[in-house]
Amino acid sequence: MTCRIAFVLFPGFQQLDLAGPMAVFEVARLARPGSYDWRLVASAPPAVRSSAGIDWPVKALPRRLGDLDLVMVIGGDGVDAACRDARLIAWLRRAAGSGARIASICSGSLVLAAAGLLDHRTATTHWSRSRQFATDFPAVRLQPDRIYVREPAVRARRRPELWTSAGMTAGIDLCLALLALDHGEELAREAARQLVVERRRPGGQSQFSPLLDLQRPEGRFGALLDEVRGNLRRDYGVEELAARACMSPRHFARCFRAETGATPAQAVERLRVEAARAALENGAASVLRVAEEAGFGSTERMRRAFQRLLGRPPAAFRPGGMAARPA
């Protein structure tokens, strides 16, 4: 069966957000003819100008939604205006009820959120949009560090399968995962080889954001985070952090996530990983000592945090260890 895709564009879309995913499906179609077919659509045909100033020919948003198997909203600087495009938002809501899978690349997830498709579901977006996303769409369970997120369909509630990705190249990760689901891991690996990308990048699901500008001096939680950095051995629960900020735990957690895009626990873990990594790279003699001083309590807990956030064990960051490759 051919998977029929609609790439949804809007003025100011990012060309790489489109080219990366399209290349994955192009390679798959060359290897397995008839596997994928696609069209470029928008609410204002016949052409849409990208953020690079190049016009792309597009067709109108399809009326017959039964002809689509996957709707993929591309991201880009024009996403804020796209969120206010009433025709596009209404069409996406109809598409969500048609049975098609719904996906977004990079900041395209904001358009899905504006249509209400992500309410009470897990999603991700580009790290630079995390703060805006958390503020504008509090009903979405945002996971700002993830490369991509897949939300299974809920047939009983007529809720579609949803895929969101973090950034431009993360859209390739998402499409490789879709390809593996549709046609098997072997074809996904072959597509990755043809594109000279990794089937699963080091770091797994973490997009290695600069954790939400935690070090911005103008942020209202800057002093609190500096205090945490200065004494990572403490056990920082939400209640203690809220008390130090002179706020109720619930209000603190909500405001902290709105400003940083992360939960307090995620922020503290990132600070611990950063401190431990620096100590290891500077030649700390004892991994156990590093784990204790960074507040992990055990080397195993530190190892899991490193694998989750950096994609490598602590030993990889010691002098003479494996070179740590950035994402």
Side-chain angles (χ1 to χ4, degrees):
M1 296 290 291
T2 300
C3 177
R4 299 159 297 181
I5 307 170
F7 289 111
V8 180
L9 310 185
F10 49 78
F13 79 93
Q14 167 58 246
Q15 292 181 149
L16 186 56
D17 285 358
L18 171 64
M22 189 184 294
V24 173
F25 299 124
E26 178 188 7
V27 171
R29 187 168 68 179
L30 289 172
R32 190 165 297 177
S35 54
Y36 292 97
D37 191 22
W38 54 83
R39 68 185 89 168
L40 308 183
V41 304
S43 63
V48 171
R49 177 159 294 188
S50 72
S51 59
I54 300 174
D55 292 336
W56 286 66
V58 296
K59 297 180 179 179
L61 297 171
R63 293 185 178 182
R64 294 182 55 183
L65 294 171
D67 291 341
L68 296 177
D69 301 300
L70 173 63
V71 173
M72 184 169 287
V73 180
I74 304 305
D77 292 340
V79 70
D80 297 302
C83 288
R84 300 189 295 271
D85 184 337
R87 180 180 298 178
L88 174 58
I89 295 300
W91 183 84
L92 285 171
R93 289 170 178 163
R94 288 180 53 223
S98 70
R101 293 178 292 185
I102 309 294
S104 65
I105 306 299
C106 195
S107 58
S109 55
L110 274 79
V111 183
L112 300 186
L117 305 187
L118 300 180
D119 286 356
H120 311 296
R121 307 190 79 179
T122 303
T124 191
T125 193
H126 191 275
W127 63 264
S128 67
R129 293 277 186 166
S130 292
R131 184 177 293 106
Q132 173 191 353
F133 197 115
T135 301
D136 293 349
F137 306 109
V140 182
R141 297 192 294 267
L142 181 66
Q143 296 191 2
D145 264 0
R146 296 283 294 278
I147 289 289
Y148 66 84
V149 172
R150 177 195 178 194
E151 273 278 297
V154 183
R155 302 298 182 190
R157 299 183 181 179
R158 294 180 60 82
R159 308 194 72 178
E161 181 177 317
L162 287 167
W163 295 70
T164 53
S165 67
M168 302 175 189
T169 56
I172 295 176
D173 294 85
L174 181 151
C175 292
L176 287 171
L178 275 168
L179 176 56
L181 186 67
D182 291 346
H183 296 287
E185 187 63 36
E186 183 178 350
L187 186 56
R189 286 197 298 268
E190 176 58 27
R193 283 194 293 269
Q194 290 295 325
L195 296 173
V196 196
V197 298
E198 296 181 83
R199 170 63 184 95
R200 291 184 177 84
R201 70 174 73 187
Q205 295 297 305
S206 175
Q207 64 170 300
F208 303 98
S209 72
L211 200 64
L212 343 153
D213 298 332
L214 285 181
Q215 301 188 45
R216 292 190 340 159
E218 67 271 25
R220 70 168 129 173
F221 298 114
L224 176 63
L225 291 168
D226 285 340
E227 185 178 345
V228 173
R229 285 190 189 94
N231 188 4
L232 289 170
R233 282 177 171 267
R234 293 183 64 92
D235 183 13
Y236 292 103
V238 173
E239 291 76 11
E240 179 175 350
L241 292 172
R244 291 173 180 271
C246 299
M247 302 168 72
S248 70
R250 184 174 181 180
H251 184 54
F252 167 75
R254 183 168 59 250
C255 291
F256 188 93
R257 182 172 180 179
E259 176 164 320
T260 69
T263 66
Q266 289 170 335
V268 170
E269 182 180 58
R270 171 66 73 172
L271 294 177
R272 286 185 168 133
V273 167
E274 289 176 350
R277 175 176 178 170
L280 291 167
E281 289 178 338
N282 288 330
S286 169
V287 174
L288 176 59
R289 178 77 175 271
V290 170
E292 291 174 346
E293 292 185 350
F296 287 109
S298 70
T299 56
E300 175 58 24
R301 186 180 172 191
M302 183 171 75
R303 185 193 65 79
R304 291 198 301 267
F306 267 61
Q307 288 287 167
R308 181 166 53 252
L309 294 178
L310 301 178
R312 309 220 174 228
F317 296 90
R318 303 183 71 176
M322 295 182 297
R325 289 181 293 173

